[in-house]
Amino acid sequence: MSDAAQPSAAEVRAAAEAVKSALDRHLDAVERRSGEDDPAVYAAFNELAATAEAYDELLYDVYDEVTPFEIPGDDTLPAYAGPEEPSAVSVLIRRDYAVVEPPRLLAQAQRVADLDPDADPDTGAPGSTAGVVGSSVHAALGVLFGEYEPDEIASRHKEFGLEEGDSTLWVAAADHPAEPGDWLAAPFDQADPQRVICRFDVSAVFDEEADPDEDGLDDDTFDDEDGAVRGGSAPGH
């Protein structure tokens, strides 16, 4: 049994009250909505989803019961709130991989290290990679991602013993081009979903949701060259 303090019945009651209040605020926001993409409705929806999920978890922990509600995942972007005519854009990319064949990964990294004219294969001295990449997945990943561009890693991932997971690409509006080195210390801190012009997602979940009996794809997906299904969305202006 976990040593963590278990939630109390009073916490369940407080969570239920929070859901009731969130329901009232959500209905009020809907009744007062100013348009299809009213940010107040969006915020109230997210608050209601969060409070309902918290209540559901506490109810299960304390009473071993669940609610009949299914909390939908938030896979949409908020209404666009950036400039109508952006003078600059930021492209944010995330790609996930699983290391499924460590020997292949180590062998490929070792080949790269062996071709490094500055490496010392005999001593593995500081600053040298050749002496360690053949036995360290951590070092091997550093060598491969330091040698190849991200797009080449993506296209050759099987060759490197990797398996693709989800990936996403956001194109976000910026007020002006950043100064050199300006955001390098914290490159993702300024990612604002309300400034995303468009996004493109790749996930196996799209394959699971696709109907094999239907010809073609939904309007918000398209096939890329290797057959992966990508989902795209562009917030309305």
Side-chain angles (χ1 to χ4, degrees), residues 35-62:
E36 184 177 350
D37 296 322
D38 190 329
V41 175
Y42 178 83
F45 173 88
N46 284 340
E47 181 189 3
L48 177 57
T51 55
E53 185 174 11
Y55 171 64
D56 190 85
E57 291 177 357
L58 286 169
L59 189 70
Y60 182 80
D61 289 343
V62 175

PDB file of all heavy atoms in Angstrom, residues 35-62:
ATOM      1  N   GLY A  35     -19.560  34.909 -29.932  1.00  0.00           N
ATOM      2  CA  GLY A  35     -19.303  34.368 -31.261  1.00  0.00           C
ATOM      3  C   GLY A  35     -18.917  32.909 -31.173  1.00  0.00           C
ATOM      4  O   GLY A  35     -18.822  32.327 -30.087  1.00  0.00           O
ATOM      5  N   GLU A  36     -18.669  32.306 -32.318  1.00  0.00           N
ATOM      6  CA  GLU A  36     -18.376  30.877 -32.370  1.00  0.00           C
ATOM      7  C   GLU A  36     -17.114  30.525 -31.596  1.00  0.00           C
ATOM      8  O   GLU A  36     -17.020  29.453 -30.995  1.00  0.00           O
ATOM      9  CB  GLU A  36     -18.242  30.433 -33.829  1.00  0.00           C
ATOM     10  CG  GLU A  36     -18.022  28.937 -33.986  1.00  0.00           C
ATOM     11  CD  GLU A  36     -17.961  28.508 -35.445  1.00  0.00           C
ATOM     12  OE1 GLU A  36     -18.287  29.343 -36.320  1.00  0.00           O
ATOM     13  OE2 GLU A  36     -17.582  27.363 -35.701  1.00  0.00           O
ATOM     14  N   ASP A  37     -16.114  31.394 -31.611  1.00  0.00           N
ATOM     15  CA  ASP A  37     -14.831  31.114 -30.960  1.00  0.00           C
ATOM     16  C   ASP A  37     -14.627  31.971 -29.712  1.00  0.00           C
ATOM     17  O   ASP A  37     -13.518  32.434 -29.445  1.00  0.00           O
ATOM     18  CB  ASP A  37     -13.672  31.346 -31.942  1.00  0.00           C
ATOM     19  CG  ASP A  37     -13.712  30.389 -33.123  1.00  0.00           C
ATOM     20  OD1 ASP A  37     -14.070  29.214 -32.901  1.00  0.00           O
ATOM     21  OD2 ASP A  37     -13.404  30.813 -34.247  1.00  0.00           O
ATOM     22  N   ASP A  38     -15.678  32.179 -28.960  1.00  0.00           N
ATOM     23  CA  ASP A  38     -15.591  33.012 -27.756  1.00  0.00           C
ATOM     24  C   ASP A  38     -14.595  32.389 -26.767  1.00  0.00           C
ATOM     25  O   ASP A  38     -14.791  31.250 -26.318  1.00  0.00           O
ATOM     26  CB  ASP A  38     -16.972  33.105 -27.105  1.00  0.00           C
ATOM     27  CG  ASP A  38     -17.015  34.153 -26.001  1.00  0.00           C
ATOM     28  OD1 ASP A  38     -15.972  34.364 -25.342  1.00  0.00           O
ATOM     29  OD2 ASP A  38     -18.085  34.748 -25.793  1.00  0.00           O
ATOM     30  N   PRO A  39     -13.522  33.108 -26.417  1.00  0.00           N
ATOM     31  CA  PRO A  39     -12.529  32.549 -25.487  1.00  0.00           C
ATOM     32  C   PRO A  39     -13.090  32.251 -24.102  1.00  0.00           C
ATOM     33  O   PRO A  39     -12.579  31.381 -23.401  1.00  0.00           O
ATOM     34  CB  PRO A  39     -11.432  33.622 -25.441  1.00  0.00           C
ATOM     35  CG  PRO A  39     -12.100  34.883 -25.902  1.00  0.00           C
ATOM     36  CD  PRO A  39     -13.136  34.450 -26.885  1.00  0.00           C
ATOM     37  N   ALA A  40     -14.133  32.953 -23.689  1.00  0.00           N
ATOM     38  CA  ALA A  40     -14.727  32.706 -22.377  1.00  0.00           C
ATOM     39  C   ALA A  40     -15.380  31.320 -22.332  1.00  0.00           C
ATOM     40  O   ALA A  40     -15.297  30.610 -21.324  1.00  0.00           O
ATOM     41  CB  ALA A  40     -15.752  33.784 -22.052  1.00  0.00           C
ATOM     42  N   VAL A  41     -16.018  30.926 -23.429  1.00  0.00           N
ATOM     43  CA  VAL A  41     -16.635  29.600 -23.499  1.00  0.00           C
ATOM     44  C   VAL A  41     -15.543  28.533 -23.498  1.00  0.00           C
ATOM     45  O   VAL A  41     -15.655  27.501 -22.828  1.00  0.00           O
ATOM     46  CB  VAL A  41     -17.516  29.468 -24.757  1.00  0.00           C
ATOM     47  CG1 VAL A  41     -18.054  28.044 -24.896  1.00  0.00           C
ATOM     48  CG2 VAL A  41     -18.667  30.464 -24.696  1.00  0.00           C
ATOM     49  N   TYR A  42     -14.491  28.796 -24.241  1.00  0.00           N
ATOM     50  CA  TYR A  42     -13.366  27.843 -24.299  1.00  0.00           C
ATOM     51  C   TYR A  42     -12.761  27.655 -22.907  1.00  0.00           C
ATOM     52  O   TYR A  42     -12.514  26.521 -22.468  1.00  0.00           O
ATOM     53  CB  TYR A  42     -12.316  28.376 -25.266  1.00  0.00           C
ATOM     54  CG  TYR A  42     -11.081  27.523 -25.388  1.00  0.00           C
ATOM     55  CD1 TYR A  42     -11.061  26.417 -26.230  1.00  0.00           C
ATOM     56  CD2 TYR A  42      -9.928  27.823 -24.674  1.00  0.00           C
ATOM     57  CE1 TYR A  42      -9.933  25.635 -26.351  1.00  0.00           C
ATOM     58  CE2 TYR A  42      -8.799  27.049 -24.780  1.00  0.00           C
ATOM     59  CZ  TYR A  42      -8.794  25.951 -25.626  1.00  0.00           C
ATOM     60  OH  TYR A  42      -7.674  25.170 -25.730  1.00  0.00           O
ATOM     61  N   ALA A  43     -12.549  28.748 -22.187  1.00  0.00           N
ATOM     62  CA  ALA A  43     -11.957  28.661 -20.851  1.00  0.00           C
ATOM     63  C   ALA A  43     -12.897  27.942 -19.883  1.00  0.00           C
ATOM     64  O   ALA A  43     -12.460  27.121 -19.066  1.00  0.00           O
ATOM     65  CB  ALA A  43     -11.639  30.064 -20.341  1.00  0.00           C
ATOM     66  N   ALA A  44     -14.202  28.231 -19.969  1.00  0.00           N
ATOM     67  CA  ALA A  44     -15.168  27.593 -19.081  1.00  0.00           C
ATOM     68  C   ALA A  44     -15.273  26.098 -19.364  1.00  0.00           C
ATOM     69  O   ALA A  44     -15.427  25.286 -18.447  1.00  0.00           O
ATOM     70  CB  ALA A  44     -16.533  28.259 -19.233  1.00  0.00           C
ATOM     71  N   PHE A  45     -15.174  25.733 -20.632  1.00  0.00           N
ATOM     72  CA  PHE A  45     -15.197  24.319 -21.010  1.00  0.00           C
ATOM     73  C   PHE A  45     -14.019  23.581 -20.399  1.00  0.00           C
ATOM     74  O   PHE A  45     -14.160  22.483 -19.829  1.00  0.00           O
ATOM     75  CB  PHE A  45     -15.177  24.189 -22.534  1.00  0.00           C
ATOM     76  CG  PHE A  45     -15.033  22.777 -23.023  1.00  0.00           C
ATOM     77  CD1 PHE A  45     -16.148  21.980 -23.223  1.00  0.00           C
ATOM     78  CD2 PHE A  45     -13.783  22.236 -23.287  1.00  0.00           C
ATOM     79  CE1 PHE A  45     -16.021  20.671 -23.674  1.00  0.00           C
ATOM     80  CE2 PHE A  45     -13.638  20.934 -23.730  1.00  0.00           C
ATOM     81  CZ  PHE A  45     -14.762  20.151 -23.924  1.00  0.00           C
ATOM     82  N   ASN A  46     -12.828  24.172 -20.532  1.00  0.00           N
ATOM     83  CA  ASN A  46     -11.629  23.536 -19.983  1.00  0.00           C
ATOM     84  C   ASN A  46     -11.707  23.411 -18.464  1.00  0.00           C
ATOM     85  O   ASN A  46     -11.284  22.400 -17.883  1.00  0.00           O
ATOM     86  CB  ASN A  46     -10.382  24.322 -20.378  1.00  0.00           C
ATOM     87  CG  ASN A  46      -9.989  24.080 -21.820  1.00  0.00           C
ATOM     88  OD1 ASN A  46     -10.392  23.092 -22.415  1.00  0.00           O
ATOM     89  ND2 ASN A  46      -9.215  24.989 -22.392  1.00  0.00           N
ATOM     90  N   GLU A  47     -12.258  24.441 -17.805  1.00  0.00           N
ATOM     91  CA  GLU A  47     -12.394  24.385 -16.344  1.00  0.00           C
ATOM     92  C   GLU A  47     -13.366  23.286 -15.942  1.00  0.00           C
ATOM     93  O   GLU A  47     -13.116  22.526 -15.000  1.00  0.00           O
ATOM     94  CB  GLU A  47     -12.892  25.732 -15.815  1.00  0.00           C
ATOM     95  CG  GLU A  47     -13.034  25.750 -14.287  1.00  0.00           C
ATOM     96  CD  GLU A  47     -13.722  26.998 -13.771  1.00  0.00           C
ATOM     97  OE1 GLU A  47     -14.140  27.838 -14.601  1.00  0.00           O
ATOM     98  OE2 GLU A  47     -13.866  27.114 -12.548  1.00  0.00           O
ATOM     99  N   LEU A  48     -14.471  23.171 -16.658  1.00  0.00           N
ATOM    100  CA  LEU A  48     -15.453  22.131 -16.349  1.00  0.00           C
ATOM    101  C   LEU A  48     -14.860  20.739 -16.554  1.00  0.00           C
ATOM    102  O   LEU A  48     -15.058  19.835 -15.733  1.00  0.00           O
ATOM    103  CB  LEU A  48     -16.690  22.324 -17.236  1.00  0.00           C
ATOM    104  CG  LEU A  48     -17.808  21.276 -17.087  1.00  0.00           C
ATOM    105  CD1 LEU A  48     -18.284  21.194 -15.642  1.00  0.00           C
ATOM    106  CD2 LEU A  48     -18.962  21.606 -18.028  1.00  0.00           C
ATOM    107  N   ALA A  49     -14.104  20.570 -17.641  1.00  0.00           N
ATOM    108  CA  ALA A  49     -13.475  19.273 -17.902  1.00  0.00           C
ATOM    109  C   ALA A  49     -12.489  18.913 -16.802  1.00  0.00           C
ATOM    110  O   ALA A  49     -12.437  17.773 -16.335  1.00  0.00           O
ATOM    111  CB  ALA A  49     -12.777  19.291 -19.260  1.00  0.00           C
ATOM    112  N   ALA A  50     -11.708  19.899 -16.365  1.00  0.00           N
ATOM    113  CA  ALA A  50     -10.690  19.639 -15.333  1.00  0.00           C
ATOM    114  C   ALA A  50     -11.331  19.297 -13.992  1.00  0.00           C
ATOM    115  O   ALA A  50     -10.891  18.366 -13.297  1.00  0.00           O
ATOM    116  CB  ALA A  50      -9.775  20.848 -15.186  1.00  0.00           C
ATOM    117  N   THR A  51     -12.375  20.039 -13.624  1.00  0.00           N
ATOM    118  CA  THR A  51     -13.013  19.764 -12.333  1.00  0.00           C
ATOM    119  C   THR A  51     -13.747  18.426 -12.353  1.00  0.00           C
ATOM    120  O   THR A  51     -13.742  17.687 -11.357  1.00  0.00           O
ATOM    121  CB  THR A  51     -13.998  20.888 -11.955  1.00  0.00           C
ATOM    122  OG1 THR A  51     -14.956  21.066 -13.010  1.00  0.00           O
ATOM    123  CG2 THR A  51     -13.271  22.191 -11.709  1.00  0.00           C
ATOM    124  N   ALA A  52     -14.372  18.095 -13.479  1.00  0.00           N
ATOM    125  CA  ALA A  52     -15.073  16.809 -13.581  1.00  0.00           C
ATOM    126  C   ALA A  52     -14.087  15.650 -13.512  1.00  0.00           C
ATOM    127  O   ALA A  52     -14.364  14.626 -12.867  1.00  0.00           O
ATOM    128  CB  ALA A  52     -15.863  16.758 -14.891  1.00  0.00           C
ATOM    129  N   GLU A  53     -12.949  15.808 -14.142  1.00  0.00           N
ATOM    130  CA  GLU A  53     -11.935  14.746 -14.100  1.00  0.00           C
ATOM    131  C   GLU A  53     -11.394  14.569 -12.681  1.00  0.00           C
ATOM    132  O   GLU A  53     -11.195  13.438 -12.213  1.00  0.00           O
ATOM    133  CB  GLU A  53     -10.800  15.069 -15.067  1.00  0.00           C
ATOM    134  CG  GLU A  53      -9.759  13.961 -15.173  1.00  0.00           C
ATOM    135  CD  GLU A  53      -8.730  14.232 -16.240  1.00  0.00           C
ATOM    136  OE1 GLU A  53      -8.686  15.369 -16.772  1.00  0.00           O
ATOM    137  OE2 GLU A  53      -7.964  13.314 -16.565  1.00  0.00           O
ATOM    138  N   ALA A  54     -11.174  15.686 -11.985  1.00  0.00           N
ATOM    139  CA  ALA A  54     -10.679  15.617 -10.607  1.00  0.00           C
ATOM    140  C   ALA A  54     -11.703  14.929  -9.703  1.00  0.00           C
ATOM    141  O   ALA A  54     -11.354  14.098  -8.847  1.00  0.00           O
ATOM    142  CB  ALA A  54     -10.365  17.016 -10.090  1.00  0.00           C
ATOM    143  N   TYR A  55     -12.974  15.267  -9.877  1.00  0.00           N
ATOM    144  CA  TYR A  55     -14.030  14.638  -9.078  1.00  0.00           C
ATOM    145  C   TYR A  55     -14.106  13.138  -9.352  1.00  0.00           C
ATOM    146  O   TYR A  55     -14.234  12.322  -8.428  1.00  0.00           O
ATOM    147  CB  TYR A  55     -15.372  15.304  -9.389  1.00  0.00           C
ATOM    148  CG  TYR A  55     -16.558  14.588  -8.792  1.00  0.00           C
ATOM    149  CD1 TYR A  55     -16.718  14.479  -7.410  1.00  0.00           C
ATOM    150  CD2 TYR A  55     -17.529  14.014  -9.620  1.00  0.00           C
ATOM    151  CE1 TYR A  55     -17.809  13.812  -6.862  1.00  0.00           C
ATOM    152  CE2 TYR A  55     -18.620  13.346  -9.087  1.00  0.00           C
ATOM    153  CZ  TYR A  55     -18.749  13.243  -7.712  1.00  0.00           C
ATOM    154  OH  TYR A  55     -19.828  12.580  -7.174  1.00  0.00           O
ATOM    155  N   ASP A  56     -14.023  12.772 -10.621  1.00  0.00           N
ATOM    156  CA  ASP A  56     -14.085  11.364 -10.996  1.00  0.00           C
ATOM    157  C   ASP A  56     -12.961  10.566 -10.333  1.00  0.00           C
ATOM    158  O   ASP A  56     -13.177   9.456  -9.827  1.00  0.00           O
ATOM    159  CB  ASP A  56     -14.001  11.231 -12.521  1.00  0.00           C
ATOM    160  CG  ASP A  56     -14.291   9.828 -12.997  1.00  0.00           C
ATOM    161  OD1 ASP A  56     -15.479   9.498 -13.174  1.00  0.00           O
ATOM    162  OD2 ASP A  56     -13.339   9.049 -13.184  1.00  0.00           O
ATOM    163  N   GLU A  57     -11.753  11.125 -10.334  1.00  0.00           N
ATOM    164  CA  GLU A  57     -10.609  10.429  -9.742  1.00  0.00           C
ATOM    165  C   GLU A  57     -10.765  10.284  -8.229  1.00  0.00           C
ATOM    166  O   GLU A  57     -10.484   9.214  -7.661  1.00  0.00           O
ATOM    167  CB  GLU A  57      -9.319  11.179 -10.077  1.00  0.00           C
ATOM    168  CG  GLU A  57      -8.940  11.106 -11.548  1.00  0.00           C
ATOM    169  CD  GLU A  57      -7.697  11.905 -11.862  1.00  0.00           C
ATOM    170  OE1 GLU A  57      -7.173  12.569 -10.926  1.00  0.00           O
ATOM    171  OE2 GLU A  57      -7.255  11.890 -13.018  1.00  0.00           O
ATOM    172  N   LEU A  58     -11.215  11.350  -7.554  1.00  0.00           N
ATOM    173  CA  LEU A  58     -11.402  11.289  -6.101  1.00  0.00           C
ATOM    174  C   LEU A  58     -12.525  10.321  -5.734  1.00  0.00           C
ATOM    175  O   LEU A  58     -12.421   9.566  -4.760  1.00  0.00           O
ATOM    176  CB  LEU A  58     -11.715  12.679  -5.558  1.00  0.00           C
ATOM    177  CG  LEU A  58     -10.527  13.653  -5.486  1.00  0.00           C
ATOM    178  CD1 LEU A  58     -11.027  15.059  -5.202  1.00  0.00           C
ATOM    179  CD2 LEU A  58      -9.534  13.216  -4.418  1.00  0.00           C
ATOM    180  N   LEU A  59     -13.609  10.343  -6.508  1.00  0.00           N
ATOM    181  CA  LEU A  59     -14.725   9.439  -6.247  1.00  0.00           C
ATOM    182  C   LEU A  59     -14.270   7.980  -6.324  1.00  0.00           C
ATOM    183  O   LEU A  59     -14.659   7.148  -5.491  1.00  0.00           O
ATOM    184  CB  LEU A  59     -15.842   9.703  -7.260  1.00  0.00           C
ATOM    185  CG  LEU A  59     -17.173   8.986  -7.010  1.00  0.00           C
ATOM    186  CD1 LEU A  59     -17.874   9.574  -5.795  1.00  0.00           C
ATOM    187  CD2 LEU A  59     -18.072   9.104  -8.255  1.00  0.00           C
ATOM    188  N   TYR A  60     -13.413   7.704  -7.296  1.00  0.00           N
ATOM    189  CA  TYR A  60     -12.918   6.334  -7.442  1.00  0.00           C
ATOM    190  C   TYR A  60     -11.970   5.971  -6.303  1.00  0.00           C
ATOM    191  O   TYR A  60     -12.033   4.859  -5.759  1.00  0.00           O
ATOM    192  CB  TYR A  60     -12.206   6.187  -8.793  1.00  0.00           C
ATOM    193  CG  TYR A  60     -11.706   4.782  -9.045  1.00  0.00           C
ATOM    194  CD1 TYR A  60     -12.572   3.788  -9.501  1.00  0.00           C
ATOM    195  CD2 TYR A  60     -10.373   4.458  -8.817  1.00  0.00           C
ATOM    196  CE1 TYR A  60     -12.122   2.496  -9.720  1.00  0.00           C
ATOM    197  CE2 TYR A  60      -9.913   3.163  -9.032  1.00  0.00           C
ATOM    198  CZ  TYR A  60     -10.796   2.186  -9.487  1.00  0.00           C
ATOM    199  OH  TYR A  60     -10.342   0.910  -9.691  1.00  0.00           O
ATOM    200  N   ASP A  61     -11.086   6.912  -5.947  1.00  0.00           N
ATOM    201  CA  ASP A  61     -10.117   6.629  -4.884  1.00  0.00           C
ATOM    202  C   ASP A  61     -10.791   6.360  -3.542  1.00  0.00           C
ATOM    203  O   ASP A  61     -10.351   5.491  -2.779  1.00  0.00           O
ATOM    204  CB  ASP A  61      -9.139   7.807  -4.745  1.00  0.00           C
ATOM    205  CG  ASP A  61      -8.178   7.900  -5.914  1.00  0.00           C
ATOM    206  OD1 ASP A  61      -8.054   6.901  -6.649  1.00  0.00           O
ATOM    207  OD2 ASP A  61      -7.570   8.971  -6.101  1.00  0.00           O
ATOM    208  N   VAL A  62     -11.835   7.115  -3.242  1.00  0.00           N
ATOM    209  CA  VAL A  62     -12.462   7.012  -1.927  1.00  0.00           C
ATOM    210  C   VAL A  62     -13.569   5.961  -1.892  1.00  0.00           C
ATOM    211  O   VAL A  62     -13.676   5.177  -0.942  1.00  0.00           O
ATOM    212  CB  VAL A  62     -13.016   8.387  -1.487  1.00  0.00           C
ATOM    213  CG1 VAL A  62     -13.777   8.265  -0.172  1.00  0.00           C
ATOM    214  CG2 VAL A  62     -11.868   9.384  -1.341  1.00  0.00           C
TER     215      VAL A  62
END
